[in-house]
Amino acid sequence: MDRIPILKLGGALIVTIQVDMHDRLALALEEDLTAMIARTSARGVLIEISALEIVDSFIGRMLVSIAAVSRVLDAETVVAGMRPAVAITLVELGLELTGIKTALNVERGMALIQARLSEEDDGHESDRDRHEN
Amino acid sequence: MTVTKTETLPVRSGDDVVRVRQRVRALAVEIGLGLVDQTKIITAASELARNTLDYGGGGDVCMEIVQAAMRKGLRLTFEDHGPGIADIEQAMTDHYTSGGGLGLGLGGAKRLSNEFHIESTPGSGTRVTIARWK
């Protein structure tokens, strides 16, 4: 079965969705990401979707669900690179990406995650293991 | 109004939903819809195809290029022979779902289309037609 690769960069996990999502792929991604967050103690998940020609309620639900599970595991989800036509359509569809931060592109998305990482490092420097970055 | 092209595809698996999206995109490009309108009709088609699959137990989609006066349009008819919808008004309400979905499919598809028509008979099936005009 196909799987979407997940990259680790510092304290963040990066996923770029390049294919037309179908059910099994979406479920596999959710499982893989969850396992990977637990294994790597990642604090941020960046999902890059600039290749997606549409986001329907099925993919929207997948993103919201990934963000919810990630949050429980103390990682923040940022969706980056949504096409303008997709954004317009999402609003009209009535889909709210609850609990998801969005960024215009990967660079800004990583900046959001890095900001969270360094904020926490500052706050917990004395009592947290600094094994990341 | 005349129909200048007709294609039918099955909607019986998740892969079929992907195929429907691809064909709808090709037809939307063929009639010259702009990028935003293409995205809207593909998204609406995706919602309805998934409804056909998840709630109707599978069915078919008929895709037509229609011509009225000087305008071209894309008309899609999703038909299943599933349990049907007893209360269409309720099913059209945002966030109402009889299954595990978000409940945006029908209302969302209506907002994303220029024309929307639904008929359903409990016990014999549902037919949803949408159109987007250039």
Side-chain angles (χ1 to χ4, degrees):
Chain A
M1 188 174 85
D2 300 335
R3 287 194 115 84
I4 294 175
I6 303 169
L7 309 174
K8 182 177 182 299
L9 183 70
L13 299 179
I14 302 177
V15 175
T16 170
I17 300 177
Q18 304 271 357
V19 292
D20 213 335
M21 294 294 285
H22 54 72
D23 318 29
R24 279 164 291 131
L25 201 55
L27 289 174
L29 177 62
E30 203 174 326
E31 278 174 24
D32 291 350
L33 260 178
T34 310
M36 191 99 164
I37 292 168
R39 195 163 67 237
T40 64
S41 319
R43 308 300 303 279
V45 176
L46 183 81
I47 304 177
E48 201 275 333
I49 61 164
S50 65
L52 284 188
E53 286 172 327
I54 65 150
V55 171
D56 60 2
S57 61
F58 175 75
I59 297 174
R61 187 170 50 165
M62 175 199 80
L63 293 173
V64 167
S65 167
I66 285 174
V69 174
S70 303
R71 197 171 328 111
V72 173
L73 296 173
D74 199 19
E76 184 168 59
T77 303
V78 177
V79 169
M82 185 183 293
R83 296 182 181 189
V86 171
I88 292 169
T89 303
L90 261 191
V91 171
E92 213 157 309
L93 183 62
L95 193 64
E96 288 161 35
L97 298 178
T98 314
I100 299 181
K101 285 199 171 175
T102 51
L104 202 56
N105 53 39
V106 172
E107 205 169 7
R108 291 208 199 167
M110 278 310 286
L112 275 179
I113 290 175
Q114 289 302 337
R116 183 185 187 215
L117 287 173
S118 54
E119 212 171 86
E120 291 181 353
D121 281 348
D122 289 346
H124 308 280
E125 198 138 16
S126 53
D127 52 41
R128 260 194 70 205
D129 273 347
R130 303 197 62 205
H131 57 275
E132 289 155 348
N133 297 323
Chain B
M1 189 161 67
T2 53
V3 177
T4 60
K5 188 173 192 174
T6 305
E7 286 179 29
T8 303
L9 278 179
V11 185
R12 296 203 172 80
S13 69
D15 291 341
D16 285 344
V17 176
V18 173
R19 268 190 287 277
V20 168
R21 284 204 291 262
Q22 288 164 353
R23 272 319 289 162
V24 169
R25 178 185 310 123
L27 294 170
V29 169
E30 189 175 323
I31 65 165
L33 287 184
L35 189 56
V36 172
D37 284 346
Q38 281 175 37
T39 307
K40 286 180 181 179
I41 188 85
I42 299 165
T43 306
S46 188
E47 297 294 337
L48 295 176
R50 189 154 293 282
N51 279 357
T52 300
L53 184 64
D54 291 349
Y55 303 105
D60 296 283
V61 55
C62 176
M63 300 175 283
E64 296 166 304
I65 291 180
V66 288
Q67 175 99 41
M70 298 301 288
R71 301 170 85 197
K72 271 192 172 185
L74 182 55
R75 186 167 65 191
L76 310 171
T77 304
F78 293 83
E79 192 164 13
D80 67 61
H81 300 286
I85 302 168
D87 186 342
I88 289 181
E89 204 175 318
Q90 183 185 43
M92 292 294 301
T93 310
D94 275 357
H95 306 296
Y96 171 80
T97 177
S98 62
L102 294 176
L104 291 171
L106 286 176
K110 184 177 184 181
R111 284 190 293 276
L112 293 171
S113 307
N114 297 130
E115 283 172 32
F116 179 94
H117 184 71
I118 181 166
E119 39 191 309
S120 187
T121 313
S124 67
T126 302
R127 183 195 293 150
V128 182
T129 304
I130 57 170
R132 183 102 209 163
W133 294 93
K134 181 168 160 47

